[in-house]
Amino acid sequence: MKARGAGNSLAPRIQQNHGFERELMKRILVTGALGQVGSELVPALRQRYGQQNVLATDIRENDGAPSDEGPFQLVDCTKPEALHDAVTAFAADTIYHLAAILSAVGEAAPLKAYEVNLGGLAHTLEVARVRGCAVFIPSSIAAFGPSTPPDPTPQDTIQRPTTMYGVTKVAGELLADYYFLRYGLDTRGVRYPGLISYLAPPGGGTTDYAVEIFYEAIREERYTCFLKPDTRLDMMYMPDAVRASMEVMEADPSDLKHRNAFNIAAMQFTPDELAAAIRHHIPGFVMEYDVDPLRQGIAESWPRRLDDSAAREEWGWAPEYDLEDMVADMLSNLRQKLAGAGV
Ligand code: NAD
Ligand code: AKB
């Protein structure tokens, strides 16, 4: 694919303010920074805004993650004082709030998912209100449910998710809108599809198969998939997700009709189609199926393709990677990573 839209590119450093009497964001605190997204978003933010201007935080110790080349602090987002102290001490003007419990893990511990995903977000928004920070809030295809039109899924439509993860995501979208409408807080966000990446492992979601498959394809030339072969889902390669997360925060606020929960999309495929794309590079690759009813049920309740026209129109969103580009890049980078680790 690799044909970028003519819209909001990160190449020229945007010089406008956010409409909230602040210059370019330059002191950024990231929660949940050691996860699948943070491991790639933190280095990208540091490259753009300066290594010392991005504080990575998480509830667990950093044991050598890619985001370890800069400030790191333990912060539990369900503890409002700790969050407030970290934001204040770092003089953060922006928070990327990534801390979360994903869909499959969330079904094993629904109240924990509620506490972290919704409680953590409420505390983050409140600290941001007191400290005057902009906030990036990621939502997900999981914010939709079985009564949502699945293909394409409009920007504004029926949601009614049936997982606790989805319940917290749709409530989080509303909470983010509320803080903007009620307090003028600069909240923004996107609905990520299932994300595929090679740096950090996925955190226990339903789309994890689309990452695991690459590890097993390289190591064993075979993979047993927990979703049915024809389960179509919306997916995205991490470089596109990272760029979207930064572009939406740099968008001119006067162009935004929506602020939170922008649908973004790049590619849609089934496990069978992903296996076929991998076979172009590893002809002997064998895919087997051992379906997990929990994750199959979750996947069937999610959209197959998001309509991302609002993001395209309002801030120039355009993906760079399609299925073919993503598979080639994943295999090449993961081979190098596993060879480097002696695996
Ligand atoms: P992840 O599970 O890989 O990482 C989440 C991080 O949050 C972990 O490092 C974990 O240690 C941390 N964490 C958990 N509880 C915490 C707490 N109480 N305080 C502080 N940190 C805590 O998740 P991810 O894939 O990096 O997801 C980041 C965001 O993107 C989440 O909001 C997620 O819902 C959203 N999202 C991700 C995907 C995907 O495919 N990865 C898709 C859609 C949306
Ligand atoms: C999950 O599967 O839970 C996540 C997501 C799509 O939000 N990857």
Side-chain angles (χ1 to χ4, degrees):
M1 191 191 289
K2 294 275 174 57
R4 289 284 312 283
N8 178 21
S9 164
L10 280 173
R13 196 173 163 100
I14 291 174
Q15 293 300 327
Q16 80 236 351
N17 68 28
H18 288 119
F20 290 80
E21 287 162 12
R22 194 177 38 248
E23 296 299 325
L24 274 172
M25 49 185 192
K26 52 191 179 304
R27 297 289 290 176
I28 302 170
L29 183 144
V30 182
T31 70
L34 300 182
Q36 189 190 2
V37 175
S39 295
E40 303 205 27
L41 181 59
V42 167
L45 290 169
R46 285 184 172 152
Q47 188 173 24
R48 184 156 181 75
Y49 302 108
Q51 201 176 56
Q52 297 307 314
N53 290 326
V54 180
L55 174 62
T57 73
D58 205 291
I59 197 171
R60 58 190 161 104
E61 285 288 355
N62 188 354
D63 54 3
S67 52
D68 65 356
E69 291 166 1
F72 176 81
Q73 191 177 325
L74 285 174
V75 177
D76 179 347
C77 71
T78 66
K79 303 277 188 294
E81 300 80 17
L83 200 52
H84 178 271
D85 290 351
V87 168
T88 306
F90 194 66
D93 58 28
T94 302
I95 302 173
Y96 274 75
H97 178 56
L98 306 181
I101 306 285
L102 300 195
S103 60
V105 176
E107 288 312 292
L111 286 182
K112 175 82 177 164
Y114 184 88
E115 185 193 346
V116 173
N117 296 4
L118 212 45
L121 175 60
H123 297 318
T124 301
L125 288 168
E126 197 50 22
V127 169
R129 183 185 69 77
V130 170
R131 298 293 311 167
C133 301
V135 193
F136 172 79
I137 299 131
S139 187
S140 163
I141 50 172
F144 298 106
S147 52
T148 300
D151 189 1
T153 298
Q155 173 66 41
D156 301 305
T157 187
I158 301 164
Q159 298 203 241
R160 303 199 69 79
T162 48
T163 60
M164 177 56 90
Y165 177 62
V167 167
T168 66
K169 285 296 170 191
V170 74
E173 292 179 0
L174 296 173
L175 206 53
D177 278 346
Y178 175 80
Y179 268 75
F180 170 66
L181 294 169
R182 177 78 169 81
Y183 302 114
L185 199 70
D186 188 6
T187 58
R188 305 184 189 194
V190 297
R191 293 178 179 133
Y192 293 135
L195 300 179
I196 299 154
S197 65
Y198 59 87
L199 269 184
T206 303
T207 58
D208 291 15
Y209 91 85
V211 179
E212 293 168 5
I213 190 172
F214 286 97
Y215 284 82
E216 296 309 306
I218 291 170
R219 287 176 179 141
E220 309 288 344
E221 296 204 357
R222 64 172 54 238
Y223 175 65
T224 304
C225 183
F226 57 75
L227 295 183
K228 290 182 186 168
D230 60 349
T231 312
R232 186 171 301 282
L233 283 169
D234 217 345
M235 298 280 190
M236 182 174 287
Y237 196 33
M238 191 61 85
D240 276 337
V242 164
R243 188 169 48 77
S245 312
M246 294 164 70
E247 285 182 354
V248 74
M249 292 303 283
E250 292 197 352
D252 183 337
S254 66
D255 291 339
L256 300 181
K257 296 186 195 72
H258 300 82
R259 297 192 65 90
N260 292 290
F262 277 100
N263 283 357
I264 53 171
M267 64 186 87
Q268 300 76 34
F269 55 76
T270 65
D272 207 24
E273 289 165 354
L274 179 55
I278 289 174
R279 245 174 246 120
H280 291 150
H281 301 262
I282 306 175
F285 176 64
V286 175
M287 182 85 141
E288 292 165 318
Y289 292 90
D290 181 10
V291 174
D292 170 15
L294 174 73
R295 286 178 287 185
Q296 182 64 35
I298 294 174
E300 285 174 11
S301 76
W302 287 355
R304 293 194 283 279
R305 181 166 57 99
L306 299 184
D307 173 352
D308 61 0
S309 49
R312 288 175 185 268
E313 282 158 23
E314 293 177 39
W315 48 277
W317 158 248
E320 282 185 3
Y321 288 87
D322 60 14
L323 174 60
E324 195 182 307
D325 299 326
M326 178 275 287
V327 168
D329 203 68
M330 269 298 283
L331 286 172
S332 157
N333 280 295
L334 195 54
R335 275 194 180 112
Q336 280 179 42
K337 176 180 149 176
L338 295 177
V343 180

